[in-house]
């Protein structure tokens, strides 16, 4: 929410109150802070930043830890108010103005219904077929027209407020709010996941002398994020996606039909992969009618590829949905893909404000790059283009007051901790290694040996203890440390030493956790 300088809100004002709700932990609080809307122009107005926090229970506290769960566009408030005891003193992180391009979520859904934004691209099983390229070129031209239209609506409904939603503004908010909460000389402590790793990399390189304990988990390549157009990202970002897809189906085959509905008795992982691919490919020519979905429609090959590989805990239910669809009932899959995580254009507001402007690429440039990625990197490339909506920024109508494009190699007095799974399908280990290479001796890398997006995807007591030691006293594990996971995605694959999530020790940080969102949302991937 943008306020004029005549409003009663005063910069520096901060307020807390107890929060309630079925999932809210006892002692959690909601609050807000009033910060400058623009840090280089005090006449622009103010922003009201909402956040949630859970206070430390230890007698000696060490300050606040800001936590960003990712997105961009996700809200951090709930992370502190529902999970605060696991990350004490939490402040869940800053986002900025609330985006409302369309008057209601239903209007946004009506705009995208049955378009490529909604259904994704349908890619022929014969990727090199000239007819496939021709069809995709036409789809891309339609997509560009949709992006141009939605951003024109965005400019009309929100105007200059669009300028204030980039990651640089979030970092300025973190700096300002840390001073409000912990004092003028307090250092900034931060734990960022997924897109939150972009905030972390911006933070340590924009304000290196303000860095306290900063950990980033599930690392996005910030240099590419800020300097390359979206269609050039996937060649480097999806390098493990198909490997995780194959692991999902192999694990399913290994536990068999009693624990994975998609499996057949005695079927190998390779055979199951071939069967699932045959079904998805068949939808290219014969989409499946789905009359019983909440929003009745059809299951296309593009929609069917939107499987949840990033969260291994959900692999059994993903397998259930695929098994139902293969047997003729696509209701569960269609209901899942129709439940859009983003309700408006909140993610675009961040990615477009962060990236360098680029010239309108031709449909041929985009499609030929993506087709090459499908052949040589991942069969899911086109799906990610629409499930990770960072597209259309060539039509972005405003210029933010500040952009940061690096360099991402500042020397830090307090080294940062970089965490990554060995097989992350969306922010690969290679991106974490790039961040480590850029920061040099100012960072250390901890690898968790497992699949999924961020190290929270599966529990690891080794990782939890390492993260706790880092936030408590700055301890970093030896170079090359790899932590095992302590659970399997499929229950039947559990080993004797596996432990359930509730048995993994929470992080006792002696710090307050604060989850910030904002009303002039400055935001926070798969």
């Amino acid at each position: 929410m943008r306020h004029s300088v005549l409003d009663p809100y005063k910069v520096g004002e901060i307020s807390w109150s107890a929060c309630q709700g079925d999932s809210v932990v006892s002692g959690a609080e909601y609050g807000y802070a009033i910060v400058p809307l623009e840090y280089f122009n005090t006449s622009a107005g103010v922003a009201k930043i909402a956040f949630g926090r859970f206070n430390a229970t230890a007698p000696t506290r060490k300050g606040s830890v800001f936590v960003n769960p990712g997105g961009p566009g996700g809200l951090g408030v709930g992370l502190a108010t529902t999970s605060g005891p696991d990350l004490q003193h939490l402040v869940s992180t800053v986002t900025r103005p609330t985006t409302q391009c369309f008057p209601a979520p239903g209007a946004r859904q009506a705009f995208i219904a049955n378009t490529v934004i909604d259904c994704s691209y349908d890619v022929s099983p014969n990727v090199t077929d000239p007819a496939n390229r021709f069809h995709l070129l036409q789809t891309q031209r339609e997509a560009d027209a949709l992006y141009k239209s939605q951003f024109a609506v965005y400019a009309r409904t929100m105007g200059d407020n669009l300028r204030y939603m980039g990651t640089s503004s979030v970092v300025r908010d973190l700096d300002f709010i840390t001073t409000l909460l912990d004092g003028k000389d307090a250092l900034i402590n931060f734990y960022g996941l997924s897109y939150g790793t972009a905030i972390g990399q911006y933070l340590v390189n924009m304000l290196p002398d303000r860095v306290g304990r900063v950990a980033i988990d599930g690392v996005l390549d910030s240099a590419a994020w800020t300097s390359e157009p979206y269609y050039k990202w996937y060649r480097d970002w999806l390098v493990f996606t198909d490997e995780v897809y194959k692991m999902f189906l192999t694990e399913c085959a290994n536990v068999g039909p009693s624990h994975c509905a998609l499996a057949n008795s005695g079927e190998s992982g390779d055979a199951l992969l071939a069967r699932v691919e045959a079904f998805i490919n068949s939808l290219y020519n014969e989409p499946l009618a789905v009359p019983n979905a909440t929003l009745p429609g059809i299951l296309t090959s593009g929609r069917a590829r939107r499987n949840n590989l990033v969260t291994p805990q959900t692999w059994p239910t993903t397998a259930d949905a695929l098994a139902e669809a293969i047997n003729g009932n696509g209701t569960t899959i269609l209901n899942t893909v129709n439940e859009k995580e983003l309700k408006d254009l909140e993610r675009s507001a961040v990615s477009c404000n962060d990236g360098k402007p680029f010239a309108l690429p031709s449909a041929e440039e985009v499609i030929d790059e993506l087709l090459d990625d499908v052949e040589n990197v991942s069969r899911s490339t086109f799906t990610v283009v629409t499930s990770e909506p960072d597209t259309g920024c060539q039509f972005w109508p405003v210029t933010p007051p500040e952009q940061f494009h690096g360099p991402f190699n500042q020397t830090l007095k307090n080294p940062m901790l970089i965490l990554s799974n060995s097989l992350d399908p969306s922010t690969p280990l290679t991106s974490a290694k790039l961040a480590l290479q850029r920061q040099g001796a100012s960072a250390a890398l901890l690898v968790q040996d497992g699949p999924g997006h961020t190290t929270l995807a599966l529990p690891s007591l080794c990782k939890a203890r390492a993260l706790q030691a880092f936030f408590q006293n700055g301890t970093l594990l030896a170079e090359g440390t790899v932590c095992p996971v302590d659970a399997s995605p499929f229950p039947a694959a559990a080993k004797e030493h596996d432990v359930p999530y509730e048995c993994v020790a929470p992080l006792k940080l002696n710090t307050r956790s604060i989850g910030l969102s904002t009303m002039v949302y400055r935001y926070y991937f798969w």
Side-chain angles (χ1 to χ4, degrees):
M1 183 182 302
R2 178 178 177 168
H3 303 279
S4 77
V5 292
L6 300 178
D7 281 339
Y9 295 101
K10 303 297 182 184
V11 170
E13 178 184 344
I14 192 164
S15 176
W16 295 104
S17 60
C19 63
Q20 299 175 342
D22 293 340
S23 59
V24 172
V25 295
S26 177
E29 297 175 296
Y30 285 130
Y32 68 82
I34 304 301
V35 306
L37 183 63
E38 182 179 333
Y39 285 87
F40 305 100
N41 176 13
T42 56
S43 67
V46 299
K48 186 177 183 181
I49 309 293
F51 36 61
R53 77 174 176 182
F54 186 85
N55 284 305
T57 54
T60 303
R61 62 178 298 272
K62 296 184 177 182
S64 303
V65 177
F66 292 85
V67 182
N68 186 294
L75 299 179
V77 169
L79 188 61
T81 58
T82 61
S83 303
D86 296 333
L87 286 163
Q88 300 180 14
H89 174 110
L90 272 201
V91 182
S92 284
T93 335
V94 185
T95 54
R96 264 211 173 220
T98 305
T99 60
Q100 193 165 350
C101 170
F102 297 89
R108 161 72 172 162
Q109 181 60 40
F111 176 79
I112 68 173
N114 296 314
T115 68
V116 60
I117 297 175
D118 184 25
C119 302
S120 194
Y121 296 78
D122 288 315
V123 183
S124 169
N126 183 359
V127 176
T128 60
D129 183 355
N132 181 51
R133 181 175 182 270
F134 178 84
H135 156 71
L136 289 170
L137 286 172
Q138 183 58 33
T139 303
Q140 184 60 40
R141 294 183 184 108
E142 293 173 1
D144 285 342
L146 286 164
Y147 302 140
K148 186 176 183 179
S149 179
Q150 72 177 8
F151 287 155
V153 173
Y154 212 174
R156 186 173 68 241
T157 56
M158 293 203 63
D160 277 351
N161 270 343
L162 294 177
R163 302 175 63 235
Y164 305 111
M165 304 182 199
T167 304
S168 298
S169 294
V170 174
V171 171
R172 301 294 177 191
D173 290 343
L174 286 170
D175 184 20
F176 189 88
I177 295 172
T178 295
T179 299
L180 287 181
L181 293 175
D182 296 335
K184 183 177 179 181
D185 298 323
L187 298 177
I188 303 170
N189 304 308
F190 179 78
Y191 180 30
L193 299 111
S194 192
Y195 160 73
T197 67
I199 299 176
Q201 290 170 83
Y202 273 53
L203 169 63
V204 301
N205 289 289
M206 288 175 63
L207 305 172
D209 294 333
R210 296 280 282 132
V211 173
R213 305 280 184 251
V214 173
I216 58 175
D217 188 342
V219 181
L220 179 154
D221 180 356
S222 286
W225 173 262
T226 61
S227 62
E228 295 181 0
Y230 76 94
Y231 62 93
K232 294 186 178 180
W233 293 345
Y234 311 117
R235 183 173 300 276
D236 296 320
W237 290 12
L238 303 182
V239 291
F240 295 131
T241 305
D242 282 11
E243 192 169 346
V244 176
Y245 177 43
K246 185 174 181 179
M247 175 184 284
F248 157 56
L249 295 174
T250 298
E251 290 289 312
C252 173
N254 287 344
V255 299
S258 61
H259 292 89
C260 180
L262 189 57
N264 288 332
S265 295
E267 187 175 38
S268 69
D270 287 342
L272 178 54
L273 173 62
R275 183 160 60 85
V276 171
E277 279 299 295
F279 166 70
I280 294 175
N281 287 335
S282 73
L283 297 173
Y284 180 78
N285 292 309
E286 296 184 36
L288 179 65
V290 188
N292 297 318
T294 304
L295 294 174
I298 60 174
L299 183 62
T300 62
S301 59
R303 281 172 160 163
R305 285 212 179 276
R306 292 187 66 168
N307 298 321
N308 190 3
L309 299 178
V310 300
T311 311
Q313 284 188 79
T314 67
W315 285 3
T317 55
T318 298
D320 290 344
L322 273 170
E324 291 173 4
I326 289 173
N327 289 323
N329 181 5
T331 301
T332 301
I333 289 183
L334 191 57
N335 282 342
T336 299
V337 300
N338 280 337
E339 182 59 37
K340 302 294 191 290
E341 179 182 355
L342 302 177
K343 304 305 181 185
D344 203 85
L345 297 178
E346 55 267 43
R347 178 170 177 136
S348 299
V350 179
S351 55
C352 292
N353 272 323
D354 281 359
K356 289 182 179 178
F358 60 95
L360 175 65
S362 67
E364 288 80 4
E365 286 180 86
V366 175
I367 293 303
D368 288 345
E369 173 72 21
L370 298 179
L371 280 173
D372 191 69
D373 290 351
V374 170
E375 285 192 85
N376 298 297
V377 183
S378 172
R379 71 192 82 205
S380 296
T381 297
F382 280 96
T383 302
V384 176
V385 172
T386 51
S387 64
E388 299 288 339
D390 300 306
T391 46
C393 291
Q394 62 269 31
F395 303 114
W396 189 241
V398 298
T399 300
E402 181 183 19
Q403 286 186 318
F404 181 74
H405 298 136
F408 293 95
N409 59 1
Q410 293 287 337
T411 299
L412 309 177
K413 288 189 243 180
N414 296 309
M416 70 187 298
L417 177 61
I418 300 171
L419 301 98
S420 177
N421 279 332
S422 56
L423 287 176
D424 189 316
S426 52
T427 54
L429 177 58
T430 48
S431 292
K433 289 180 176 179
L434 275 175
L436 177 66
Q437 179 182 340
R438 291 169 185 144
Q439 297 293 160
S442 292
L445 174 63
L446 174 62
V447 177
Q448 179 170 293
D449 188 19
H453 182 41
T454 83
T455 65
L456 298 186
L458 288 171
S460 168
L461 190 56
C462 164
K463 186 283 306 286
R465 286 170 172 164
L467 193 59
Q468 177 177 334
F470 172 74
F471 275 105
Q472 283 186 333
N473 50 42
T475 301
L476 295 170
L477 295 183
E479 181 180 352
T481 297
V482 176
C483 283
V485 296
D486 297 318
S488 167
F490 291 95
K495 306 175 184 66
E496 288 185 6
H497 72 275
D498 286 358
V499 293
Y501 270 96
E502 58 268 24
C503 295
V504 176
L507 306 181
K508 301 297 185 181
L509 304 181
N510 294 353
T511 59
R512 168 175 49 195
S513 311
I514 301 184
L516 303 163
S517 71
T518 85
M519 289 172 128
V520 185
Y521 272 78
R522 287 178 176 159
Y523 296 83
Y524 309 117
F525 167 178
W526 283 36

